[in-house]
Amino acid sequence: MGPAIRYGDVSMASPEMRNPGIPLDLGWVYDVQINRSAVERRAETLTKRRSIKKDWQAAWLLRAITFMDLTTLSGDDTPGRVHRLCAKARQPVRTEILEALGVADKGIQVAAVCVYHSRIRDALDALKGSDIPVAAVSAGFPAGQNPFPQRVAEIEQSIEAGAKEIDIVISREHVLCGNWERLYDEVKQFREACGNVHMKTILATGELGTLRNVGMASLVCMMAGADFIKTSTGKEKVNATLPVGLVMTRAIREYQERTGYKVGFKPAGGIRTAKQALNWLVLIKEELGDEWLDKSLFRFGASSLLLDIERQLSHAVTGRYAARHHMPMG
Amino acid sequence: MRVAEIFETLEYGPAPESPAAAYAWLDEHGRRFNLFINNQWVEPSTGQYYDSFNPATGEKLAETAQAGQEDVDAAVAAAREAFKRWSKTPGHVRARYLYAIARHIQKHHRLLAVIESMDNGKPIRESRDIDVPLVARHFYYHAGWAQLMERELADYQPVGVVGQIIPWNFPLLMLAWKIAPAIAMGNTVVLKPASYTRLSALLFAEIVAEAGLPPGVVNIVTGSSRAGGMIVSHPDVDKVAFTGSTEVGRILRRQTAGTGKRLSLELGGKSPFIVFDDADLDSAIEGLVDAIWFNQGQVCCAGSRLLVQESIADRFLEKLRVRMQHLRVGDPLDKGIDIGAIVDQTQWETIHSWVQRGLKEGAEIFQPDSPVPEKGCFYPPTLLTNVEPSAAVAQEEIFGPVLVSMTFRTPSEAVELANNTRYGLAASIWSDNINLAIDVAQKVKAGSVWINCTNLFDAASGFGGYRESGFGREGGREGLFEYLRPAWQKRPRPKLDIPPDADRAELSARWAEYVPGRPAPLGEIASRDGKTRANGAVPPLDRTLKVYIGGKQRRPDGHYSRPVRGPDGQVVGQVADGNRKDIRDAVEAAHVKAGMWASDRWADRTPHNRAQILYYMAENLSARAEEFARRIVEMTGCTLKDARKEVDLSISRLFSYAAWADKYGGTVQETSLRGVTVAANEPVGVIGIACPDEYPLLAFVSLMAPAIARGNTVVIIPSEKHPLSATDFYQVLDTSDVPPGVVNIVTGARDHLTKTLVEHEDVDAVWYFGTAEGSYHVEYLSAVNMKRTWVNYGESRDWADPEQGEGEEFLREATQVKNVWIPSGE
């Protein structure tokens, strides 16, 4: 492995600065080594090395809500379903709980609402008057097997429809066949199509075969200008796991060390419990540091997570374990 | 509002484990603990107690008894009495007791963990997630061996009463490593915990009683190092097992020398952590955290010497410094803490003075900015860079959270640096190239080698060291033999005439002083030669018997000879009278074929090839069988029939070890690792062998053959009285394709030559079959480099009996077990 190559002046990097991408550096990509058993060991002990309890737990969970891309991506999504979800996005926790915790003035709401293209309009309507952006999944979500021009056009249409964030999927084929140039070109074109809109790049890690592929694909996507890299569509058999999260966050760290650009991270799929949410926050804090604990650099993709968080917050206030049906549906 | 603030900062908060149950347990005992003998609490005869402190707070937790001689005697007597029945208890019944202990440990898992963290200062995460689960696992695993012993270890018996002394860094885990195999194999135990950390052993004592173990099988005697000395020197203790510093290990080696007590030592280390440029560097960084900041670095196998490939060193160290910023030092009972308290202020000062010394030697220091509690005994994680191998901090065990870092250029240099130490406990190798990783794993001299992982333990894998890291293994099948004796063998109880006030060092220094040989008086040589001349025949052609070094017959350095006499006292020949320089040269020659960089290293020959050579020796011996038989008659005066039988047995024995040359490679251990844990039986290295006088040919072959079959090279001192079988063997060696240097033979005064061998720091083991006094000195002097010894305490064995004269015992002495952990998964 050669010495670190710096592509940007680190001193110029700022949290607001988007990753413009860099030329594809295949030497760096091929240098990626991921040792699965070691990564798994770290993932296993990481969450046992830290324990978030009492007031800290409540505060962290409240913060977790603000990192959430509240998501619905189903064939049976209707305007009514999206409206209900968006209402929850605006008011994710019952006011009396927020008051009891002393955070009623924090304006706690989710980071974004994430839907299919056809539901962008419904979401915009439902979120009118709030500053919650609508994110759309795109570029042939979830499988990425659509004709390429169609995938680019989908991005453009979603932006035109009002999406402020775009979650694209990559062609897994390019990773599995080692076509790093084609992956790079694809993502670069998606990024161009996104223009000023932030782009999250879904790797669909459950379909990439090995952790080394995850590491290499992460790098290529960042080189191509991804604002975020995201684990999963939620449709693969295996979604966001901590070992995958470790590989991706370490790639982000390395990219930042070498180029000065900060790329965001979004685990998605299978994150359902407050405990899992805390684990992810610990992973970010430990591997990337406090600066990444910001919705400009970290998001959860989740649909049912909010319910469990709300129950834990209720417990924090009352000292009693909360019933599911006491939490307003989203 | 606190929540509102934390919401903004996302700081970590305290997450304390409750000590309530632990305090209740201490209170129920009135914060005072006595000795545990015969399943009873017994007040110490000294009337003295010693305070136990929580090193994180300085709080006094309890006081525990200081045992005196009377108490040690009582404990040993209890163990002896219990041994009578326990050793005869069926394996299945013993298995049930061990199983019950394992279950009870799990029932009290959290209490044990909390007590351990309070008493020792280790983070609750470690005591809860690592120490206590491993303790339970050790008892489960050995319950299995108790169950299987009668069938799988039918040729063995328990050793007897075992004295065990354990350190303060893993109080409960080391107790389990000691007690579980001992009682599984039918031994009874007197265990002394370390002074700083006695409480978990006392809680364990209650668990033993709760599990219904018969009285006297396990006795826990708390006390100072003087009490430890009383256990070690107690005449009715049959075996001593110790984990601790090499310094104390040396003392114990000398203290037990010549007594016939078995000894196993698990001592210090300065284990290398080797990172190659093709490693997963981020994972290697995490490995390093587990290597040197596990248990505050107070780990005998801590990866305390970072060896990183020069091409990636800067990047790697930068990553490490970033990672160190995230380590949290603080209250051991906090569930979010990485590094707890140092066990005691004394240890803190030792660590601190090492770091100061490193700085004086030119090291650069890095410690993270993260806070360290002002009160309590805490030391920050520390990295020393700019350290050369010549620096004391690169050579000596610091036993604290201090990592020293060095660089290497090539794999061979990495191995050379890794092995540039007097220790050999463990090594960790990081590379994603399987060829490189396994190659280095094979070349590193260490008992445990972790590839892309570190500090993994499991009851199924033996743990123990090479070199001055000690001898003996704990865990695995290999560990059982520390607590077993061959069924035919009684505990040797040699009579030694050493005045109690003798200066032992001086005594051994003067051992086996010797005046070189000279011609025998005329009366002792005349008759036989006279007869032949009277017959008018030509005199027999004189044979010049030299020493055999490096495949050549050489004149002895001193140019002295000694007569060899027959049974009637008549001289039957002369042999070279070797001296210390011949031994020196023989060891050098042995190293030519054993050294790491030797070309055509004997151990690297294929097992098939070594077998072929042993078969070839048998073939050549067979061709000259009659001549060898007559020589035996000439020297010993036995019947020709017996002599022929001895030659035949020797040939058979060569066949045995030719057979074993490719059938004793090791096993795959069934540990918790996903992947494989390989227990490889590696050669010990250069073995010095002093042969007995009985069976001059058979004993010589019986000792040489297993050693070289398993890849060792040897320096052999043949029977002092009857050396001619060995000197005749030169030509067998010459004609059997034995590579020069593999077998070296120096004739002369056995003890005189043995002394040089055992004092030689580049000899890895000495086997001595001589007198009780000689056995004492061999064991005493071996402490110089903690070489392995195998002595007979002056008791002879029946070399013709296959049970005594060949087999697994010989193979075990000829090998050392290296456990290589190879994880899998892509």
Side-chain angles (χ1 to χ4, degrees):
Chain A
M1 218 179 270
I5 303 159
R6 294 197 176 273
Y7 290 90
D9 184 345
V10 182
S11 62
M12 286 179 59
S14 68
E16 296 76 34
M17 188 174 174
R18 281 181 75 186
N19 168 34
I22 62 164
L24 178 63
D25 181 344
L26 279 176
W28 183 0
V29 175
Y30 290 133
D31 261 356
V32 169
Q33 296 287 9
I34 308 292
N35 190 278
R36 174 181 282 274
S37 60
V39 167
E40 286 174 348
R41 201 168 307 114
R42 166 65 169 157
E44 196 188 312
T45 51
L46 177 67
T47 56
K48 294 180 179 155
R49 280 180 179 272
R50 297 291 178 263
S51 184
I52 318 294
K53 296 291 176 202
K54 306 208 161 152
D55 284 356
W56 283 267
Q57 189 178 88
W60 281 53
L61 290 175
L62 287 164
R63 204 47 199 284
I65 294 169
T66 69
F67 297 141
M68 204 177 289
D69 284 359
L70 198 60
T71 302
T72 185
L73 294 169
S74 295
D76 57 2
D77 285 346
T78 59
R81 160 78 184 131
V82 171
H83 273 266
R84 203 167 67 205
L85 189 77
C86 291
K88 193 74 182 167
R90 287 165 174 256
Q91 178 67 55
V93 182
R94 292 194 335 245
T95 315
E96 64 267 30
I97 293 180
L98 295 179
E99 279 168 355
L101 291 170
V103 290
D105 59 341
K106 294 284 181 187
I108 290 171
Q109 57 184 29
V110 302
V113 167
C114 182
V115 292
Y116 272 118
H117 174 84
S118 306
R119 301 272 75 84
I120 295 173
R121 175 81 33 216
D122 303 328
L124 285 173
D125 285 348
L127 292 170
K128 203 165 282 170
S130 81
D131 58 355
I132 300 173
V134 174
V137 294
S138 196
F141 184 96
Q145 297 281 19
N146 302 10
F148 187 72
Q150 209 173 300
R151 294 170 71 194
V152 176
E154 194 186 0
I155 296 172
E156 289 162 350
Q157 286 159 14
S158 290
I159 292 170
E160 210 179 298
K164 290 281 179 286
E165 298 178 1
I166 296 290
D167 289 23
I168 61 110
V169 291
I170 63 164
S171 300
R172 277 73 115 182
E173 170 203 346
H174 297 333
V175 177
L176 295 170
C177 296
N179 290 328
W180 302 114
E181 292 92 344
R182 290 184 64 189
L183 177 65
Y184 178 84
D185 291 344
E186 174 184 281
V187 175
K188 201 171 160 68
Q189 287 187 55
F190 292 154
R191 165 72 198 265
E192 278 160 16
C194 283
N196 289 327
V197 168
H198 273 235
M199 180 178 79
K200 303 183 205 115
T201 308
I202 303 173
L203 303 183
T205 55
E207 294 179 349
L208 298 186
T210 66
L211 287 181
R212 182 159 187 249
N213 275 348
V214 172
M216 292 196 289
S218 297
L219 268 187
V220 172
C221 292
M222 289 188 283
M223 289 172 180
D227 292 301
F228 265 72
I229 51 176
K230 175 176 168 184
T231 60
S232 324
T233 65
K235 310 289 183 191
E236 292 85 46
K237 278 187 202 136
V238 181
N239 294 293
T241 65
L242 289 178
V244 158
L246 265 179
V247 170
M248 293 175 73
T249 49
R250 286 168 173 181
I252 289 170
R253 187 173 66 202
E254 176 124 344
Y255 186 77
Q256 193 263 333
E257 281 166 11
R258 291 216 211 176
T259 69
Y261 303 125
K262 294 195 183 84
V263 173
F265 175 60
K266 178 177 172 184
I271 303 170
R272 292 192 187 88
T273 66
K275 175 71 183 153
Q276 282 176 296
L278 291 174
N279 287 346
W280 281 103
L281 293 181
V282 166
L283 183 146
I284 299 300
K285 189 174 169 78
E286 292 293 316
E287 292 288 325
L288 290 170
D290 286 349
E291 338 176 39
W292 257 264
L293 290 171
D294 186 289
K295 68 180 178 183
S296 69
L297 289 169
F298 179 68
R299 298 283 178 87
F300 289 109
S303 44
S304 59
L305 170 62
L306 191 50
L307 171 66
D308 194 51
I309 290 184
E310 212 182 344
R311 290 176 71 207
Q312 301 311 319
L313 291 173
S314 170
H315 173 254
V317 170
T318 66
R320 299 183 300 274
Y321 293 108
R324 253 164 225 285
H325 64 275
H326 290 179
M327 306 298 132
M329 272 173 73
Chain B
M1 268 317 277
R2 207 147 54 147
V3 174
E5 270 167 40
I6 307 164
F7 177 83
E8 299 295 341
T9 61
L10 288 188
E11 285 302 316
Y12 290 123
E17 176 71 44
S18 166
Y23 281 132
W25 178 71
L26 294 173
D27 288 341
E28 272 163 23
H29 285 269
R31 303 250 176 173
R32 170 180 272 211
F33 291 86
N34 289 316
L35 308 165
F36 183 76
I37 298 171
N38 260 329
N39 286 10
Q40 302 290 326
W41 293 116
V42 178
E43 282 184 21
S45 62
T46 61
Q48 287 173 1
Y49 291 84
Y50 178 87
D51 292 341
S52 222
F53 295 98
N54 178 339
T57 60
E59 173 201 14
K60 179 179 158 185
L61 294 171
E63 50 187 37
T64 58
Q66 294 288 72
Q69 186 66 55
E70 252 176 69
D71 308 309
V72 169
D73 289 349
V76 173
R80 175 58 63 195
E81 184 58 30
F83 179 73
K84 289 179 193 158
R85 290 186 61 182
W86 185 246
S87 58
K88 302 283 185 293
T89 302
H92 174 64
V93 176
R94 286 205 310 275
R96 282 177 176 236
Y97 283 116
L98 273 104
Y99 180 75
I101 293 173
R103 300 288 288 187
H104 281 265
I105 285 163
Q106 289 182 319
K107 287 176 201 171
H108 303 298
H109 184 153
R110 192 56 64 92
L111 180 59
L112 284 163
V114 173
I115 285 286
E116 193 78 324
S117 282
M118 286 169 73
D119 201 17
N120 163 281
K122 64 175 65 200
I124 185 74
R125 177 190 76 87
E126 294 179 6
S127 53
R128 178 197 66 200
D129 294 351
I130 301 172
D131 293 43
V132 177
L134 282 171
V135 169
R137 162 90 179 122
H138 223 75
F139 280 96
Y140 278 121
Y141 176 82
H142 285 93
W145 278 122
Q147 174 75 18
L148 298 176
M149 181 181 172
E150 283 140 21
R151 188 177 292 265
E152 294 297 314
L153 297 154
D155 299 336
Y156 295 91
Q157 59 178 334
V159 168
V161 173
V162 183
Q164 303 179 320
I165 298 173
I166 57 170
W168 45 257
N169 58 343
F170 293 91
L172 192 63
L173 183 57
M174 290 303 103
L175 171 147
W177 282 18
K178 295 278 179 292
I179 291 182
I183 64 174
M185 295 295 99
N187 303 278
T188 54
V189 165
V190 176
L191 177 133
K192 188 189 95 65
S195 284
Y196 295 148
T197 54
R198 300 169 168 186
L199 296 180
S200 59
L202 297 166
L203 178 52
F204 176 82
E206 291 192 340
I207 286 177
V208 160
E210 191 181 58
L213 198 70
V217 174
V218 169
N219 304 280
I220 310 279
V221 173
T222 52
S224 66
S225 59
R226 284 187 52 224
M230 292 169 195
I231 295 172
V232 170
S233 53
H234 197 290
D236 208 23
V237 164
D238 298 305
K239 182 209 158 74
V240 172
F242 171 76
T243 296
S245 70
T246 296
E247 193 190 339
V248 176
R250 248 188 260 286
I251 294 170
L252 296 194
R253 171 68 291 182
R254 290 178 179 139
Q255 224 170 348
T256 55
T259 60
K261 282 177 197 167
R262 298 272 296 276
L263 179 66
S264 53
L265 300 172
E266 201 267 273
L267 307 176
K270 189 77 181 179
S271 297
F273 187 100
I274 311 169
V275 184
F276 289 98
D277 62 0
D278 58 1
D280 173 352
L281 297 188
D282 291 310
S283 287
I285 294 284
E286 287 310 322
L288 209 40
V289 169
D290 288 334
I292 186 66
W293 294 305
F294 171 47
N295 203 27
Q296 296 72 248
Q298 303 166 135
V299 183
C300 50
C301 56
S304 52
R305 255 189 322 143
L306 170 63
L307 303 174
V308 57
Q309 195 151 5
E310 201 170 332
S311 56
I312 53 159
D314 290 346
R315 255 179 79 203
F316 188 78
L317 291 173
E318 192 45 43
K319 276 178 184 287
L320 180 57
R321 290 185 193 102
V322 171
R323 178 66 182 90
M324 288 170 73
Q325 297 285 9
H326 286 269
L327 292 170
R328 302 186 74 226
V329 182
D331 178 9
L333 284 186
D334 190 316
K335 288 178 269 189
I337 282 297
D338 296 304
I339 300 179
I342 301 298
V343 70
D344 188 83
Q345 187 61 29
T346 317
Q347 183 62 17
W348 191 97
E349 274 151 25
T350 306
I351 297 166
H352 185 66
S353 69
W354 276 118
V355 170
Q356 295 309 309
R357 179 151 175 201
L359 293 177
K360 264 189 214 130
E361 288 172 328
E364 285 164 22
I365 187 169
F366 174 81
Q367 291 171 332
D369 315 324
S370 41
V372 171
E374 279 169 25
K375 255 194 78 192
C377 198
F378 296 92
Y379 203 91
T382 303
L383 167 67
L384 296 179
T385 52
N386 201 27
V387 172
E388 300 302 333
S390 52
V393 288
Q395 293 294 336
E396 303 296 337
E397 186 174 39
I398 295 174
F399 225 65
V402 182
L403 177 70
V404 300
S405 158
M406 285 163 276
T407 63
F408 64 86
R409 295 164 297 173
T410 61
S412 58
E413 191 172 61
V415 172
E416 222 166 334
L417 282 166
N419 288 340
N420 185 211
T421 168
R422 60 177 63 234
Y423 296 113
L425 197 51
S428 182
I429 299 163
W430 292 77
S431 164
D432 260 27
N433 174 349
I434 187 170
N435 308 299
L436 176 64
I438 291 182
D439 187 51
V440 174
Q442 287 179 320
K443 286 175 179 160
V444 169
K445 292 209 179 296
S448 291
V449 180
W450 294 292
I451 294 177
N452 293 319
C453 55
T454 199
N455 275 345
L456 295 188
F457 310 98
D458 189 89
S461 169
F463 182 88
Y466 284 29
R467 299 177 168 175
E468 292 188 29
S469 292
F471 37 77
R473 294 290 179 270
E474 295 186 295
R477 188 175 190 271
E478 61 267 36
L480 301 177
F481 297 102
E482 304 304 329
Y483 294 99
L484 291 171
R485 190 191 302 286
W488 61 267
Q489 205 177 54
K490 278 213 174 71
R491 147 116 199 241
R493 289 184 182 273
K495 290 210 163 38
L496 289 171
D497 223 7
I498 301 167
D501 57 346
D503 178 345
R504 290 176 162 233
E506 171 68 15
L507 206 63
S508 278
R510 281 192 285 105
W511 174 51
E513 280 169 355
Y514 173 68
V515 178
R518 53 228 165 261
L522 284 179
E524 295 171 13
I525 41 175
S527 64
R528 198 170 297 181
D529 281 359
K531 266 185 214 160
T532 51
R533 280 195 205 110
N535 290 344
V538 291
L541 188 60
D542 191 68
R543 284 183 65 193
T544 314
L545 292 170
K546 303 176 181 172
V547 295
Y548 188 77
I549 294 174
K552 290 199 175 65
Q553 298 193 38
R554 284 182 17 181
R555 287 211 176 81
D557 171 84
H559 293 274
Y560 284 105
S561 298
R562 52 187 287 138
V564 178
R565 296 165 198 276
D568 53 0
Q570 295 295 311
V571 172
V572 296
Q574 280 97 24
V575 289
D577 207 355
N579 66 12
R580 53 186 285 121
K581 287 187 178 152
D582 295 309
I583 292 291
R584 175 199 66 190
D585 292 347
V587 172
E588 291 301 312
H591 268 285
V592 168
K593 287 295 174 201
M596 172 141 28
W597 306 115
S599 57
D600 187 25
R601 199 168 152 255
W602 177 240
D604 293 339
R605 289 278 184 103
T606 63
H608 173 71
N609 180 252
R610 289 201 301 270
Q612 289 301 106
I613 288 171
L614 282 155
Y615 282 127
Y616 202 4
M617 274 189 214
E619 208 180 295
N620 286 320
L621 179 58
S622 171
R624 297 169 56 187
E626 192 61 17
E627 173 198 337
F628 271 88
R630 288 186 184 281
R631 181 69 95 181
I632 293 168
V633 172
E634 192 181 8
M635 288 188 298
T636 67
C638 69
T639 66
L640 187 59
K641 192 177 156 216
D642 284 349
R644 282 179 181 148
K645 193 179 152 212
E646 182 174 348
V647 176
D648 284 346
L649 277 172
S650 302
I651 292 166
S652 164
R653 211 137 280 176
L654 287 166
F655 260 62
S656 287
Y657 292 108
W660 278 119
D662 54 8
K663 295 172 190 67
Y664 197 70
T667 46
V668 172
Q669 310 271 40
E670 305 197 53
T671 64
S672 51
L673 183 78
R674 182 188 66 207
V676 281
T677 308
V678 179
N681 290 332
E682 294 200 336
V684 177
V686 173
I687 301 180
I689 301 173
C691 296
D693 284 332
E694 63 268 20
Y695 292 103
L697 177 66
L698 179 61
F700 168 82
V701 167
S702 299
L703 290 165
M704 171 197 68
I708 65 172
R710 295 311 316 167
N712 303 283
T713 59
V714 292
V715 175
I716 307 184
I717 305 162
S719 158
E720 178 176 319
K721 243 164 111 183
H722 313 303
L724 298 178
S725 293
T727 54
D728 289 345
F729 210 82
Y730 295 170
Q731 287 180 356
V732 174
L733 295 170
D734 283 337
T735 51
S736 304
D737 292 345
V738 181
V742 172
V743 179
N744 306 278
I745 301 169
V746 180
T747 50
R750 184 193 57 219
D751 289 356
H752 180 66
L753 297 175
T754 299
K755 189 179 170 204
T756 306
L757 262 181
V758 79
E759 285 180 332
H760 200 303
E761 294 184 5
D762 221 359
V763 170
D764 300 292
V766 166
W767 300 352
Y768 175 85
F769 290 81
T771 61
E773 188 205 0
S775 299
Y776 161 78
H777 289 293
V778 165
E779 289 191 331
Y780 185 92
L781 291 168
S782 70
V784 64
N785 69 341
M786 300 308 286
K787 58 170 66 72
R788 277 171 70 179
T789 55
W790 182 27
V791 303
N792 71 337
Y793 303 104
E795 296 183 3
S796 53
R797 62 173 70 203
D798 181 0
W799 296 92
D801 177 354
E803 204 188 351
Q804 301 185 23
E806 70 173 81
E808 217 186 335
E809 186 187 9
F810 291 76
L811 293 166
R812 269 201 311 279
E813 293 294 344
T815 51
Q816 52 191 345
V817 187
K818 175 191 275 181
N819 274 274
V820 184
W821 297 65
I822 311 167
S824 68
E826 173 57 47

